[in-house]
Amino acid sequence: MGSVGTAVVRDGGAALPHGFWAAVRVWLEKPQVANRRLCGAAVEAEGPVALGEGGEASLPTLAAAGGGGGREGRAASAGGAELGRLWREVLPHKFALNKETKACCGDNQDGLHHEIIYHCSHIFSDVFNGTVTFLPLEENSEGKYQIKKCNIYQIQLTHIKGEEWSVSILVPFPEDWVSDGIAYPKLAWLGDELLSKLAKWSVEQKPSEFKSTLSLISVAKYSKVYQDLKDKYKKMVKVWPEVTDPEKFVYEDVAIATYLLILWEEERKEKGLTKKQSFVDLGCGNGLLVHILNNEGHSGRGIDVRRRKIWDMYGPETHLEESTILPGDSHLFPDTDWLIGNHSDELTPWIPVIAARSSYSCCYFVLPCCFFDFHGKYSRRQSKKTQYREYLDFVAQVGFVCGFHVEEDCLRIPSTKRVSLIGKKRTYPPTECALIDKQITQYINNRQTCAVVACDRRVQFNCKDHSDGVWEQAGSELQENETEIAGTTWMPGFQPREKVEQIRNCASLPRDFVDDVVLNVANLLLNATPQKSCSNTHAGNTNTWNQGESLSLKEVAEHLNKETLKRLKSECGGLQTLLKNNHQVFEVLNGRVHIRDWRKEKPSRKTKPEVKRRLSAEAFKTRLCWFFIHHPDGCSLPSESCPYAHGTEELRQSQIIKKKKHIQQ
């Protein structure tokens, strides 16, 4: 038995051995947390295995979840029938296994960067000896499953003494290990990356606030559909006309579309439907999600207050509307099956309400991002929760009040805000629609009353947050004959986002104002102390180059005049944003401002995407070097190494500007 690696951990909080089993469970059920090349895992079956004397095993049959025809389904069911034979094969390898073990059958799929990999394993957990043994299976030419002996490995917990424990990864045949880089990583990865994560998780004792990724749909199906859609729409990355990151937005919308397509397919099977669901995406933004869903056969449209450049690229089959949505009777969708709120900001809490009042059969899917209440920005009320968790509970509570069974799932997208809330079933019969509608009105009025009280401390009553879905009225009880909100809008004074987005990131400030601030701050850093120099050995030059001193943002602000600071404060981010925007000159790290030394800039380890490489090449020498013009020692780099122009004779016309002019013509 060869050791791939061992990590020693200290447990001062009595987390072990329970924490070890929790960590192993994460690796078994959510391998994508450690191995980003995997999409997820599905545990097909599990149960106790009683080992008889002499290595005989009395084993239950393992049933494949959703089996029947699929390769992964055959693997799981075959595992139950042949587990006895497979077990006898592995016994000679002398793994530390007790007479009471647990067997699991799971399959992992990689659906992000490669073709689908179906990897079926039997996993034996020996609770008494603190070991978990992974037995990967492979199918031979006769359709039988055999243990892939070269890739067997074991995770082991050992108590050393006192609070000291060790977590180890062991491999019986390290010299024969076969890595495909996906389902079977390299041994070095197991011994470094996986081992460090398991050790950390074992003593963390921090239960997750959220559900497992893709817990409501088939991971195997998701993996396949995602790969198909990714191949189909990846060309969008190369033609993306927006200023946003094309890779993030394209692959995120592909992932969300994949999730919805599978969710809707399963809904059609449950309800015996043949027609594909219709939808409306409220606050659709760039419209790519609408474009994909339309192309995949779902009738629907996207509505946003502001038109995007990319809309013109989709063609007439993609239905997008530029319109302002005010929650009210004039914005209901009685003929629509699903409402979508993908980062829908101020509309997010209203989407369950609009769905409930549109029709009894209307469902919704929301992916909350920015925190909004019915009337404006969401105000925190529970310090014991993270702000994100508290806001998700609020949006879920809205769904409960609207009469939905609210389900939560975590999406596989490149975003920190990836928890979705889904309302597809009602908690009440159609005959109680009027009663639920009245309940919704009271709840909305309650939230508005709470907001008023938060602003006016003279009014004395307690407004509670009930994240368990049970809401109570705040203040005096509302009367049965309560007056409805006037007109057709449900909340007068609701503020939709501006049709023209305000640019408040210092980018719209006059160039001469920005140049003046940059020069003042740079001189402040350069003159803060007697000349602080370092040797410039580039190209054999031993001259000193003044790096200046670093100052805190507060110290820098104290040296700027009041009028300048007032102007900067009107911009989001203020002084810090302006300095970061001028990254050619400054580096802002941990709240301190430094003069950027381009000699120390390290090339990125990661290979840049084609789009970013092209943009970088197109921008080369298109701007004058600030240091060449303003720094007392000139630029720290020779002309041929500096990405900026040393004098007007080196200036190149920006290819980006040329393209914009060509498009406008």
Side-chain angles (χ1 to χ4, degrees):
M1 180 71 69
S3 174
V4 175
T6 299
V8 177
V9 295
R10 294 187 65 84
D11 175 28
L16 296 171
H18 305 292
F20 170 74
W21 297 110
V24 169
R25 202 78 197 174
V26 172
W27 174 233
L28 172 62
E29 296 178 354
K30 298 189 284 187
Q32 72 278 5
V33 175
N35 184 356
R36 292 180 180 273
R37 309 198 81 177
L38 293 175
C39 179
V43 177
E44 301 291 350
E46 71 178 303
V49 178
L51 301 180
E53 297 298 325
E56 295 295 326
S58 174
L59 304 165
T61 300
L62 301 183
R71 179 179 171 185
E72 71 280 14
R74 296 199 311 276
S77 57
E82 301 180 2
L83 190 53
R85 177 181 62 81
L86 297 173
W87 180 250
R88 287 190 291 274
E89 280 186 27
V90 79
L91 276 179
H93 302 314
K94 297 180 181 179
F95 277 111
L97 290 161
N98 200 279
K99 289 190 178 183
E100 285 296 328
T101 67
K102 271 199 170 182
C104 296
C105 181
D107 71 292
N108 300 340
Q109 296 83 22
D110 164 61
L112 294 180
H113 306 291
H114 302 274
E115 293 181 3
I116 309 303
I117 303 295
Y118 291 112
H119 165 55
C120 187
S121 298
H122 285 302
I123 298 111
F124 292 91
S125 303
D126 180 0
V127 178
F128 296 99
N129 290 316
T131 61
V132 183
T133 307
F134 293 78
L135 308 180
L137 305 181
E138 60 183 352
E139 188 177 7
N140 62 19
S141 57
E142 299 174 358
K144 292 186 177 181
Y145 285 86
Q146 298 177 323
I147 294 174
K148 192 173 183 176
K149 295 177 183 177
C150 59
N151 281 25
I152 297 172
Y153 70 98
Q154 187 178 80
I155 302 171
Q156 188 174 74
L157 175 70
T158 306
H159 185 215
I160 301 173
K161 62 178 180 178
E163 296 179 353
E164 282 193 8
W165 299 69
S166 69
V167 180
S168 306
I169 295 182
L170 310 171
V171 177
F173 312 109
E175 66 281 359
D176 297 330
W177 183 271
V178 179
S179 171
D180 61 5
I182 310 168
Y184 303 109
K186 293 180 180 178
L187 288 178
W189 185 90
L190 288 175
D192 294 334
E193 297 292 327
L194 178 60
L195 183 61
S196 65
K197 284 182 169 60
L198 289 171
K200 178 186 175 185
W201 296 338
S202 293
V203 293
E204 211 168 35
Q205 293 193 89
K206 186 180 178 182
S208 175
E209 289 184 301
F210 310 110
K211 292 286 184 75
S212 299
T213 303
L214 308 178
S215 61
L216 299 181
I217 63 171
S218 164
V219 176
K221 192 177 292 184
Y222 175 91
S223 183
K224 184 179 186 311
V225 174
Y226 175 83
Q227 192 64 46
D228 291 343
L229 291 183
K230 182 183 174 185
D231 292 340
K232 191 173 180 179
Y233 296 101
K234 63 184 179 183
K235 59 186 178 183
M236 296 296 301
V237 172
K238 296 183 178 180
V239 297
W240 194 255
E242 304 292 333
V243 295
T244 50
D245 181 3
E247 287 196 331
K248 178 188 184 302
F249 282 87
V250 171
Y251 295 135
E252 182 171 322
D253 282 356
V254 165
I256 296 170
T258 302
Y259 188 91
L260 287 171
L261 290 172
I262 295 170
L263 186 73
W264 291 347
E265 181 184 347
E266 292 177 357
E267 183 191 37
R268 292 197 299 275
K269 288 179 181 177
E270 288 174 13
K271 297 180 178 179
L273 304 173
T274 55
K275 185 181 178 182
K276 291 188 174 182
Q277 293 89 334
S278 60
F279 70 91
V280 175
D281 186 349
L282 302 175
C284 63
N286 60 55
L288 181 57
L289 179 60
V290 177
H291 177 64
I292 297 172
L293 295 176
N294 282 165
N295 278 0
E296 300 306 312
H298 288 270
S299 62
R301 57 194 167 117
I303 305 173
D304 201 282
V305 70
R306 196 166 57 251
R307 186 179 185 83
R308 307 298 199 276
K309 297 179 207 172
I310 197 171
W311 286 14
D312 296 326
M313 297 176 59
Y314 295 136
E317 294 81 14
T318 301
H319 304 288
L320 300 168
E321 299 175 14
E322 184 180 16
S323 178
T324 300
I325 296 173
L326 296 173
D329 297 341
S330 57
H331 285 96
L332 295 176
F333 307 93
D335 300 323
T336 300
D337 297 318
W338 281 78
L339 297 185
I340 298 172
N342 173 20
H343 295 177
S344 46
D345 293 350
E346 71 278 359
L347 288 175
T348 297
W350 286 105
I351 287 176
V353 179
I354 298 171
R357 288 177 166 174
S358 288
S359 71
Y360 183 76
S361 60
C362 187
C363 308
Y364 72 88
F365 167 95
V366 291
L367 186 61
C369 180
C370 300
F371 308 144
F372 283 88
D373 208 321
F374 293 113
H375 48 78
K377 289 288 186 179
Y378 179 82
S379 298
R380 294 196 66 179
R381 300 178 186 182
Q382 289 193 10
S383 58
K384 293 182 180 179
K385 299 180 183 179
T386 64
Q387 186 178 19
Y388 184 40
R389 179 69 264 173
E390 183 185 339
Y391 185 68
L392 290 171
D393 289 343
F394 160 61
V395 179
Q397 182 187 13
V398 175
F400 293 139
V401 171
C402 291
F404 287 96
H405 282 292
V406 181
E407 297 179 280
E408 180 179 305
D409 206 353
C410 202
L411 272 56
R412 184 85 164 113
I413 57 175
S415 174
T416 56
K417 305 291 194 306
R418 56 196 188 96
V419 177
S420 64
L421 297 168
I422 300 161
K424 62 177 182 177
K425 294 179 181 177
R426 304 294 176 103
T427 60
Y428 63 95
T431 54
E432 295 181 6
C433 284
L435 184 63
I436 294 297
D437 191 69
K438 186 172 184 178
Q439 178 174 289
I440 294 170
T441 299
Q442 291 177 335
Y443 181 77
I444 293 171
N445 287 347
N446 252 0
R447 298 295 300 187
Q448 191 173 28
T449 305
C450 292
V452 171
V453 171
C455 297
D456 187 358
R457 300 296 180 186
R458 292 171 299 177
V459 179
Q460 299 296 318
F461 70 81
N462 181 30
C463 180
K464 299 178 181 178
D465 183 276
H466 301 272
S467 58
D468 60 358
V470 180
W471 65 276
E472 293 180 7
Q473 296 179 359
S476 60
E477 290 291 325
L478 295 172
Q479 300 299 317
E480 287 296 319
N481 60 351
E482 179 187 20
T483 305
E484 293 294 325
I485 297 172
T488 58
T489 57
W490 301 330
M491 181 169 283
F494 169 80
Q495 288 295 321
R497 70 179 67 181
E498 297 290 336
K499 188 174 179 65
V500 178
E501 187 175 16
Q502 285 188 327
I503 299 173
R504 296 180 60 218
N505 60 356
C506 297
S508 61
L509 290 171
R511 189 69 247 174
D512 58 345
F513 173 80
V514 174
D515 290 343
D516 192 43
V517 174
V518 169
L519 188 58
N520 284 340
V521 174
N523 286 333
L524 180 65
L525 297 175
L526 291 171
N527 301 320
T529 59
Q531 183 166 321
K532 180 180 178 180
S533 306
C534 72
S535 177
N536 180 359
T537 56
H538 191 92
N541 183 4
T542 58
N543 294 332
T544 57
W545 188 80
N546 185 5
Q547 288 183 293
E549 182 61 277
S550 73
L551 294 175
S552 68
L553 284 164
K554 182 181 178 182
E555 290 171 322
V556 172
E558 287 172 349
H559 285 82
L560 298 177
N561 63 57
K562 291 181 180 179
E563 204 58 44
T564 298
L565 288 174
K566 184 178 179 182
R567 198 166 183 180
L568 288 173
K569 283 180 180 177
S570 66
E571 299 285 324
C572 293
L575 176 62
Q576 181 172 228
T577 299
L578 184 142
L579 297 177
K580 284 186 174 181
N581 287 353
N582 289 273
H583 65 276
Q584 181 195 166
V585 185
F586 302 110
E587 191 174 23
V588 183
L589 295 172
N590 301 319
R592 297 192 69 82
V593 187
H594 309 254
I595 293 285
R596 185 177 292 276
D597 187 348
W598 283 87
R599 293 167 300 177
K600 298 178 181 178
E601 293 297 309
K602 296 179 181 178
S604 175
R605 292 182 182 179
K606 295 182 180 179
T607 305
K608 288 183 179 179
E610 182 184 343
V611 175
K612 291 185 179 179
R613 286 200 305 270
R614 188 176 70 243
L615 290 174
S616 179
E618 288 174 349
F620 188 74
K621 298 288 186 184
T622 57
R623 292 179 60 189
L624 287 169
C625 175
W626 185 93
F627 295 102
F628 180 80
I629 299 170
H630 297 288
H631 195 284
D633 299 330
C635 183
S636 63
L637 295 175
S639 174
E640 60 271 17
S641 303
C642 182
Y644 300 94
H646 285 199
T648 53
E649 65 278 3
E650 289 188 6
L651 272 176
R652 295 170 56 245
Q653 186 176 358
S654 172
Q655 300 299 308
I656 300 170
I657 294 173
K658 280 185 179 180
K659 285 182 181 179
K660 285 183 178 178
K661 286 182 178 177
H662 178 72
I663 291 169
Q664 289 171 354
Q665 291 170 355

